Amino acid sequence: MTTIEVDENEYGCWTVLRVRGEMDLVTSPRIRRRVHDAVAGGRHDLVVDLSAVRFCDSSGVGVLIASRRLLRSCGGRLRLILPEDRDGHVGHVGRVLAALGVRRQLVVSAAGPGALTGAAERAEPAAEAEHAEPAATERAAEAELADAALPGQRVTDRISP
């Protein structure tokens, strides 16, 4: 049987959701509900501490991406704290996010006070653009697409995050 526990704490303007257990099809709706409740309560700066998550499937990843989208829509911020394995390397959740190609879209913070003080580790430059001006973000996305084009190929479709 899969289990999940979510504790909520306030640290200044940040709301920290500490998740323990397994993020799967059965438990992910509880995490989604907690994020929606926080946003509905006016808390738009969220840290989701996943350091005690043992397992995460695509439904858990979907909750993280949807949370990012929700918080961005209301001018908020989302930071993740990812678990490490016993050797201090990227843990299961980080590997899942990387394998699905979404880790670069999320802002990952160090565990502890760094998550709340702005000492975020940006996985990729795309995450840095999260709080840039919309025009600057759009220009950066266009440049990234142009750089990805093969010689002689024009990029005509643009996908907004």
Side-chain angles (χ1 to χ4, degrees), residues 77-125:
R77 297 178 288 179
L78 174 68
R79 292 187 180 166
L80 301 179
I81 299 174
L82 299 179
E84 296 178 348
D85 66 11
R86 286 180 281 182
D87 300 325
H89 296 97
V90 175
H92 172 74
V93 177
R95 287 191 306 270
V96 169
L97 294 173
L100 293 174
V102 297
R103 189 177 190 288
R104 67 184 191 104
Q105 297 176 5
L106 301 165
V107 177
V108 178
S109 295
L116 307 174
T117 61
E121 303 167 9
R122 307 269 187 197
E124 297 285 334

Side-chain angles (χ1 to χ4, degrees), residues 35-96:
V35 170
H36 281 266
D37 289 347
V39 171
R43 297 181 308 270
H44 296 158
D45 294 326
L46 239 58
V47 173
V48 180
D49 182 352
L50 303 172
S51 59
V53 171
R54 298 183 307 268
F55 174 80
C56 180
D57 67 9
S58 60
S59 60
V61 173
V63 167
L64 297 175
I65 296 300
S67 298
R68 175 184 174 264
R69 188 173 298 131
L70 173 65
L71 287 162
R72 285 184 72 185
S73 73
C74 63
R77 297 178 288 179
L78 174 68
R79 292 187 180 166
L80 301 179
I81 299 174
L82 299 179
E84 296 178 348
D85 66 11
R86 286 180 281 182
D87 300 325
H89 296 97
V90 175
H92 172 74
V93 177
R95 287 191 306 270
V96 169

